[in-house]
Amino acid sequence: VDLAKDHIGVQLRQDGEFQNCGEFVVTTCREEWDSSKRHLWNIESYDLGYLVKRNRREERMSVEKGSSYMELIHNLLSQCGIIKIIADPCNDVLQTDRDWELGTGTLDIVNELLKEIAFDSLWFDADGNARIQRHRSILDARVDHVYQKGQGSIVHQECSSSWDIFSASNVFVAMVNSPDYEESLIAKAVNDERNSEVSTVNIGRIMAQPIRLDNIASERALQDYVD
């Protein structure tokens, strides 16, 4: 094994079947010998996001207005050796010319671009694929199982439960102010769900600190972001 180059694939075996638990890069390895004189390795490793995290721009990076967000993100990941990518479709393009200074972290650039198209931050799944995924609201998520009162419940000792609305907000505003835009872009989202304990219906309107962004792909992306 070449610890500097090889990846570790972890699997969980249950009832004779194997389930992937991720693909990892070794970062440290400590050799040990136990009382039976067995030679052991104590390994610390991270998922493939480590390859992106350690990568930095070795020179100033400039990208022209109109460049595809997806092509740019794919190119940045491929430069880090990431070849297995699963991405949601997106046709957004940069609205302004962009520059990143020498030494800027590639992961910072990727996540900055993903935020501008209202996507989740980069993550890696159990098969080692880089996931570029549009944000999905919990309200839209598929429910796999419902835990109902009185069914399969376990009573734990020394438990506690709390309810706190001290820092709750239910009105959110995001804005983009840049000299490259003809006018400021503003989008608002309001939690008025009757079933939400901290919605405007239940505790009145409480505005969060406005979110100020330097760049966004489109007005639609800004609305998706604040939502």
Side-chain angles (χ1 to χ4, degrees):
V1 62
D2 185 344
L3 294 178
K5 296 180 180 179
D6 293 340
H7 295 176
I8 296 178
V10 178
Q11 292 183 319
L12 174 67
R13 182 177 181 179
Q14 187 173 14
D15 299 328
E17 296 184 357
F18 291 91
Q19 177 180 346
N20 289 337
C21 297
E23 183 176 334
F24 300 90
V25 177
V26 177
T27 56
T28 62
C29 178
R30 185 174 68 253
E31 293 186 82
E32 299 176 350
W33 287 263
D34 64 10
S35 58
S36 301
K37 297 183 179 180
R38 289 183 303 175
H39 185 195
L40 306 174
W41 284 353
N42 190 319
I43 289 174
E44 182 175 324
S45 58
Y46 293 82
D47 71 20
L48 302 187
Y50 169 76
L51 299 179
V52 189
K53 173 68 175 177
R54 72 181 185 184
N55 189 274
R56 295 183 178 277
R57 298 293 90 196
E58 297 183 16
E59 56 186 23
R60 185 182 180 88
M61 175 179 167
S62 298
V63 183
E64 294 182 353
K65 174 182 177 181
S67 299
S68 165
Y69 273 92
M70 275 298 160
E71 288 184 9
L72 180 54
I73 293 170
H74 274 74
N75 288 338
L76 288 169
L77 293 179
S78 66
Q79 293 171 16
C80 302
I82 306 299
I83 57 176
K84 297 190 300 181
I85 302 173
I86 298 177
D88 287 348
C90 177
N91 297 319
D92 288 333
V93 298
L94 298 181
Q95 299 301 302
T96 62
D97 294 338
R98 303 291 292 279
D99 291 284
W100 289 275
E101 297 294 336
L102 180 152
T104 305
T106 300
L107 182 60
D108 293 332
I109 298 175
V110 168
N111 282 335
E112 179 182 337
L113 294 171
L114 288 173
K115 181 173 68 174
E116 292 174 17
I117 54 177
F119 274 48
D120 288 329
S121 298
L122 179 70
W123 63 282
F124 288 80
D125 62 22
D127 297 318
N129 299 303
R131 300 301 296 269
I132 303 174
Q133 181 176 293
R134 191 178 298 278
H135 180 73
R136 291 170 175 79
S137 168
I138 291 178
L139 298 176
D140 299 330
R142 184 187 69 184
V143 176
D144 294 320
H145 186 80
V146 176
Y147 292 94
Q148 296 181 334
K149 183 178 180 179
Q151 294 184 359
S153 61
I154 301 175
V155 178
H156 296 276
Q157 294 182 352
E158 299 182 5
C159 285
S160 65
S161 177
S162 62
W163 182 80
D164 181 11
I165 62 169
F166 178 78
S167 58
S169 301
N170 51 35
V171 178
F172 308 90
V173 175
M175 60 184 67
V176 181
N177 291 316
S178 172
D180 296 313
Y181 290 87
E182 294 182 358
E183 58 182 19
S184 299
L185 301 180
I186 300 176
K188 179 188 292 185
V190 179
N191 174 10
D192 54 9
E193 292 287 335
R194 186 170 298 275
N195 293 329
S196 170
E197 293 180 338
V198 295
S199 69
T200 58
V201 178
N202 291 311
I203 64 172
R205 297 176 71 89
I206 305 175
M207 181 178 172
Q209 189 72 19
I211 305 166
R212 302 181 187 277
L213 304 173
D214 293 327
N215 290 278
I216 200 72
S218 63
E219 290 188 52
R220 175 196 55 76
L222 182 61
Q223 187 63 54
D224 288 343
Y225 178 83
V226 76
D227 287 343

